[in-house]
Structures are given as structure tokens and as C-alpha cells.
Amino acid sequence: MKILANDGISKMGISLLEENGFQVLTTTVAQEQLGNYINQNQVTGLLVRSATKVNKNLIDECPGLKLIGRGGVGMDNIDVDYAKKKGIHVINTPSASSLSVAELVFAHLYGGVRFLYDANRNMPLEGDSRFKQLKKSYGKGKELAGKTLGIIGFGRIGQATAKLALGAGMKVLFFDPVLDKVSLTLTFFDGQTVTFHLTKTEKEELLKESDFITVHVPAQKTYVLGKKEFELMKDGVGIINAARGGVIDEVALVDALESDKVSFAGMDVYESEPNPEIRILMHPKISLTPHIGGATNEAQDRIGLELAEQIISYLK
Ligand SMILES: NC(=O)c1ccc[n+]([C@@H]2O[C@H](COP(=O)([O-])OP(=O)(O)OC[C@H]3O[C@@H](n4cnc5c(N)ncnc54)[C@H](O)[C@@H]3O)[C@@H](O)[C@H]2O)c1
């Protein structure tokens, strides 16, 4: 059986599929030629990430398709309901990148409390001429250990972030409308485990008590953090958004950064992605990454393996 991985798949995923008798095609076929290619090559399973769109027309065009797989979480680029109605099995890999996103949150947090985002902008310009002044401006860093991290949205990524925070010696508060109590087991390199039992904190209290706040909710109709929420926060709070553009009001965030309510922000996702606002890109207190939360080699390997395992169990 042939599987077309149109947006790529890890070598580990390909090997596992091939060992189980599947042929994996890794050509990237242009959207308008995709239906033709699938039919001509008798492709049974189509794997995509976020680039390829699997809409109603494509599904109608390819009656031989039995499975559609999304490497990653969101299925916005696939007409899932229609595919299912047509008897096509739809799979994704929702937890494969959770740890990668959580580690990026910590990259922004550790970078934030030591001003790395700004030092990396200014050292190339002034590191040789104003070394002592720069040393002074970045000399009032903070440690994360002992501080409180508030996590809004306590699903897969929120919980993975909490584990890193606990391991780093932080206190963790979480708010999630559907979860009251969560037990998290941290596993260390030598097999030791420690289990923490956490209880939900109401959102308002979390906003008031956290030294840093990170948001891990799905796309929302309204902002999770806006003007009202920023006002409730501690002065000098650090904010991270590696969830979705639009969960934080960026205008309110910039105002809060400028009034020093918020000391720094770490952003991986943007309201106007893929053209983030210039005020965000140029802001000296924002640590920036271009939506790479889940983009690690390890996550790609897990995505490939998880897709391969699901394909084998469904199609073989
Ligand atoms: N930066 C990246 O590259 C990257 C990669 C993967 C996922 N993501 C994003 O991360 C987010 C979280 O992913 P996940 O896998 O943890 O999802 P998940 O479904 O496992 O968890 C989301 C949690 O948010 C909670 N929630 C929903 N609305 C809420 C609200 N208003 N306030 C508080 N909690 C709320 C839900 O109850 C759920 O428990 C998603 O938006 C996803 O798109 C980003």
C-alpha cells in the first residue's frame, strides 16, 4: 500500500512503515495536482502537516483514499467531518510535540529573566565599545527557582510545562475550566519518580499570584489575557504565549510592557501570523520565535512514529 507524506515525515516513521510493507512517497505535490497524483499512484494514505489542505474537493476527487493523517495537533487544514462521512479514517498526533513546546516556554522564561532577548540584540552592536554599561543594564536578573508559574490551560502542553517548572524548583498554579485536580509524575534519568498532586486555582487568583504566566489553551473566541487580566497581575510579571495567536490581546500586552506592569514577554505565536505586528517584532522587551514550539527533531521523530503505528494498526 502506498502512503504519500506530502509535507514530509521523519526517517524513523518511514522505516517503520517500510518494515511493515508500506511504500512511502515523500514527493511534495503542489495542491492543485494532488488529486491527480493520488489517483495515478493509487495512494491509500495521505499524510500532511499544516501546509497541505485536504478539503471536500480533494476528498471527492480521490475515492481510493482510506486514511488521512495530520502530523501534529490542529486539524484546521483537513475537512475532518466530511472525510469521516466518506468513510475515511482521520488520525493525528496530539501529544508528540508537547514536551518540545514546554521546553520552548522555558527557553523564553530563562532568557526573559536574564534579558537574553535584549543582550543578544545589543552585544553585536555595542559589546566591544560599551561592555561595562551593558553588563550593568543586564545585571539585575532573577532566578526562576522559588517563583510561581501560573499556567492557563492545563492539557497536554500545560502539564508538560508544569513538570519542567516543578523540576526547576518553581511553584505551579493552574487554571482550566474542565480540570479540578491533576496528579503529575516526574520521572528522572535514573528511574526515580516523584508525584505532585495539584488543585486548580481560580483564574483571578492565578493572575494575582503568579510571577510568570503561560497560556496553553486552544484557539478562543475572546482573549484569555486582555487589559482587565493584565491589571490584576503582579507588577513585573513575565508572560509567555506559545499557544495560538489571538489568545492574548497584543495591544494590551504592549501597553502593559510599556507601563512596566509586564517585565517581558516570550512569544512564539502572533495575532497577525505570518505577518506579526512591527510593534511586537521591534519591542525591546519581547523575546521572539517564529512559531517553532513543536519543531524539534525529537518531536518530528515521535510524530513519524506515532503516525506509522496508527497507520499500521488501521491499514495492515
Ligand atoms: N507553538 C507551537 O508550535 C504549538 C505546537 C503545538 C500546539 N500548540 C498550541 O498549544 C495549545 C495547547 O495544546 P495542547 O495540546 O495542550 O491542547 P489540549 O487540548 O491538550 O489542552 C488545552 C486545555 O486548555 C483548556 N482550556 C480551553 N479553554 C480554556 C480557557 N479559556 N481557559 C483555560 N483553559 C482553557 C482545555 O480545557 C484543555 O484542558 C493549542 O492552542 C495548540 O494549538 C502550539
Side-chain angles (χ1 to χ4, degrees):
M1 255 184 275
K2 285 185 194 162
I3 306 294
L4 170 63
N6 207 48
D7 298 331
I9 179 173
S10 70
K11 286 204 179 85
M12 287 167 101
I14 296 178
S15 306
L16 185 58
L17 284 167
E18 287 178 349
E19 280 159 25
N20 282 275
F22 290 90
Q23 187 184 341
V24 185
L25 309 170
T26 51
T27 323
T28 304
V29 184
Q31 188 73 46
E32 60 279 9
Q33 286 149 19
L34 197 53
N36 231 346
Y37 183 93
I38 289 173
N39 292 333
Q40 275 174 5
N41 290 280
Q42 293 170 321
V43 169
T44 312
L46 172 64
L47 304 183
V48 299
R49 288 185 54 76
S50 52
T52 304
K53 312 274 173 270
V54 190
N55 53 23
K56 189 171 175 292
N57 291 348
L58 183 69
I59 294 167
D60 282 337
E61 208 182 329
C62 305
L65 215 49
K66 292 201 168 58
L67 177 141
I68 299 166
R70 158 77 161 102
V73 191
M75 305 268 248
D76 320 3
N77 54 325
I78 302 174
D79 195 334
V80 178
D81 292 340
Y82 191 70
K84 286 186 176 162
K85 221 158 75 188
K86 290 276 172 174
I88 300 175
H89 191 58
V90 185
I91 58 174
N92 68 347
T93 60
S95 44
S97 56
S98 302
L99 177 58
S100 300
V101 180
E103 288 199 359
L104 186 73
V105 170
F106 268 80
H108 281 294
L109 280 174
Y110 277 118
V113 289
R114 305 305 293 271
F115 314 106
L116 300 194
Y117 52 90
D118 204 45
N120 278 321
R121 284 167 173 151
N122 287 321
M123 283 296 281
L125 302 173
E126 301 181 318
D128 57 349
S129 57
R130 297 184 66 246
F131 192 91
K132 282 190 177 160
Q133 290 92 326
L134 292 181
K135 182 176 158 97
K136 204 170 161 208
S137 15
Y138 304 132
K140 291 210 167 106
K142 283 185 201 148
E143 294 176 349
L144 291 185
K147 307 295 188 309
T148 300
L149 179 66
I151 302 179
I152 299 181
F154 211 53
R156 292 171 288 251
I157 298 172
Q159 293 186 26
T161 305
K163 287 185 179 181
L164 295 183
L166 293 165
M170 300 183 83
K171 179 177 170 183
V172 170
L173 303 178
F174 80 85
F175 168 72
D176 191 301
V178 302
L179 294 166
D180 287 330
K181 287 185 192 301
V182 175
S183 295
L184 292 179
T185 300
L186 274 64
T187 306
F188 293 88
F189 75 100
D190 59 357
Q192 288 189 69
T193 59
V194 182
T195 300
F196 290 78
H197 303 286
L198 304 177
T199 305
K200 164 161 118 174
T201 299
E202 285 311 325
K203 185 172 170 187
E204 195 172 314
E205 198 185 332
L206 180 149
L207 296 173
K208 287 180 182 164
E209 298 205 347
S210 299
D211 299 301
F212 308 96
I213 296 172
T214 183
V215 183
H216 298 290
V217 301
Q220 308 277 308
K221 288 201 178 80
T222 52
Y223 293 126
V224 171
L225 298 181
K227 188 171 185 293
K228 187 170 69 105
E229 286 75 20
F230 285 117
E231 278 165 7
L232 290 171
M233 294 175 195
K234 275 190 184 179
D235 290 341
V237 63
I239 302 289
I240 310 291
N241 185 9
R244 284 279 180 142
V247 302
I248 296 184
D249 177 350
E250 290 179 359
V251 172
L253 173 66
V254 169
D255 288 348
L257 284 163
E258 280 168 13
S259 69
D260 290 334
K261 180 70 180 177
V262 172
S263 59
F264 72 90
M267 295 181 68
D268 189 44
V269 290
Y270 305 87
E271 275 195 86
S272 47
E273 218 173 299
N275 303 105
E277 293 298 327
I278 205 79
R279 281 182 85 196
I280 297 287
L281 295 177
M282 298 300 287
H283 204 288
K285 292 186 184 170
I286 304 183
S287 170
L288 303 149
T289 47
H291 204 151
I292 52 161
T296 62
N297 295 339
E298 291 82 355
Q300 290 312 314
D301 284 344
R302 282 192 296 265
I303 285 172
L305 286 176
E306 279 183 32
L307 284 174
E309 281 158 5
Q310 293 182 71
I311 291 169
I312 292 160
S313 77
Y314 184 73
L315 288 179
K316 205 176 157 188

